[in-house]
Structures are given as C-alpha cells and as structure tokens.
Amino acid sequence: MKSLSIAACFALMHAGAAMAAPAITYDCDTAASHFSELVLPAPGNSFTVTGQLQINQLPPFDKYAPITRLMVGPGDIVPGGDIPNWAGFSLNALPAKMVDKSVKDDKIMLQFLNWNAAHDRKTEDFKPFGFAKAGDKLPFTLTYDGAAVTLSVAGEKTSIPLKVADPMVRIVCSTGEFLYTDLRIEKAS
C-alpha cells in the first residue's frame, strides 16, 4: 500500500510539472521619451511565444513616437544594450490628428505593425501593415527554431532568418502604455 501511495504522489508531481506555466500579463507603461525593457528566458533553442497586445494610452510626446517591440535576440546582451542580431515585430502608435489634421479627437489613435530585424547591427526595412483601432487586442505568435523567427500578427505572416546563441525574448516599450496579455513562452515540441 505504501509503494502505491509513493507512486501516486510521483505521478501527480510529474503531471503538475508537465502542465503549462500560467500566462504572463505585462503592463508596459513608460513616460514620453523613456523606455523600458523586459528580458525573459527561453526554454532552449526552439520555442513559441504567444499572446495578445493592445495599446492602453499614449502620453503627449514630442521627440519619440510610441512603440513596443517583441523580439528574439541573444541572451548575452545586458538589458538596454546594443543587440547585433534580432528579429520580431513592433506596434507603433500615433494620435490620428498628427496624420489627418481634420481629426480633432485626442483619443483616436492610428496603430500599425512592422516586422523588425537586425543582422550584424544593420536593421532591415519592412513596410507597415495591420492598421487597427485603439483598444483592439492583437493576437500574435512568434516561433523560433534555431534558424529563423516565424511571426504571425493580425492575420499577417512572415519568416526572418536568425541564428543566435542562448536566445532570449525581449519586450521593449517607449512613450506609452502597452498591455501584453496571455503571454506564454513554451518549448516547441
């Protein structure tokens, strides 16, 4: 009877360890002309990052436009440091009246997405896409397989070659409040 109890406890512990970790909520709120960065460990060289992203609010700004970026990069870079090789996407936002002078409402925002990458510190240019309304939750999936980052955001998909040692997931936010919900980083099977 005692061996059965020990076996049952071992099975329950193993099942609990195999269950998915709880999702992360990250409210990335930065003042105008400031930025913050969150560096999250990745479970090896092959993983998937999923979640939803939305803009909550934009502060008045003059120099730097509001932006958040989710990317994969090497793990040996200190937070805030220069990252030579990385790939991911960004969500950019502007008050609509900055683009269309006929808009008078300060709360109407223009949001757009970009694929982003740098190879040997040279950034790639990608066209913006995925215009969305303020408050919309944009679901995303980022998969890294050791050779490329495959991205899916707001119905758009791409793959960007990337090879980095000890990959980490980085979230950078500047000049606004961006909310990441249901954020999960899971080892690819």
Side-chain angles (χ1 to χ4, degrees), residues 13-112:
M13 286 176 19
H14 180 69
M19 293 172 58
I24 298 169
T25 297
Y26 179 48
D27 188 359
C28 191
D29 190 2
T30 55
S33 300
H34 289 80
F35 80 96
S36 65
E37 181 176 26
L38 178 65
V39 178
L40 300 167
N45 287 326
S46 184
F47 57 90
T48 299
V49 182
T50 58
Q52 297 181 21
L53 172 59
Q54 74 185 61
I55 298 172
N56 277 351
Q57 68 179 29
L58 302 178
F61 65 94
D62 57 1
K63 190 172 182 181
Y64 299 104
I67 185 172
T68 186
R69 180 174 287 130
L70 176 79
M71 66 182 128
V72 173
D76 61 351
I77 307 297
V78 298
D82 183 31
I83 306 170
N85 299 297
W86 55 270
F89 73 90
S90 64
L91 174 61
N92 306 266
L94 296 170
K97 68 182 188 177
M98 289 183 76
V99 178
D100 182 351
K101 299 298 182 196
S102 69
V103 174
K104 302 299 180 204
D105 188 344
D106 289 338
K107 294 179 183 177
I108 298 175
M109 289 182 269
L110 173 65
Q111 315 182 72
F112 59 93

Side-chain angles (χ1 to χ4, degrees), residues 118-186:
H119 301 284
D120 295 324
R121 292 184 171 80
K122 295 178 185 165
T123 58
E124 284 188 56
D125 289 325
F126 295 88
K127 290 185 179 183
F129 68 91
F131 295 91
K133 290 187 265 180
D136 283 357
K137 287 186 177 184
L138 304 171
F140 62 84
T141 301
L142 177 154
T143 301
Y144 182 64
D145 65 5
V149 172
T150 302
L151 300 148
S152 174
V153 184
E156 297 288 325
K157 295 179 182 179
T158 196
S159 184
I160 302 170
L162 180 71
K163 289 185 182 183
V164 294
D166 187 28
M168 297 290 234
V169 176
R170 294 173 180 268
I171 298 175
V172 178
C173 301
S174 176
T175 310
E177 183 184 1
F178 300 90
L179 181 64
Y180 287 84
T181 55
D182 301 320
L183 183 66
R184 295 180 191 277
I185 304 171
E186 298 174 321

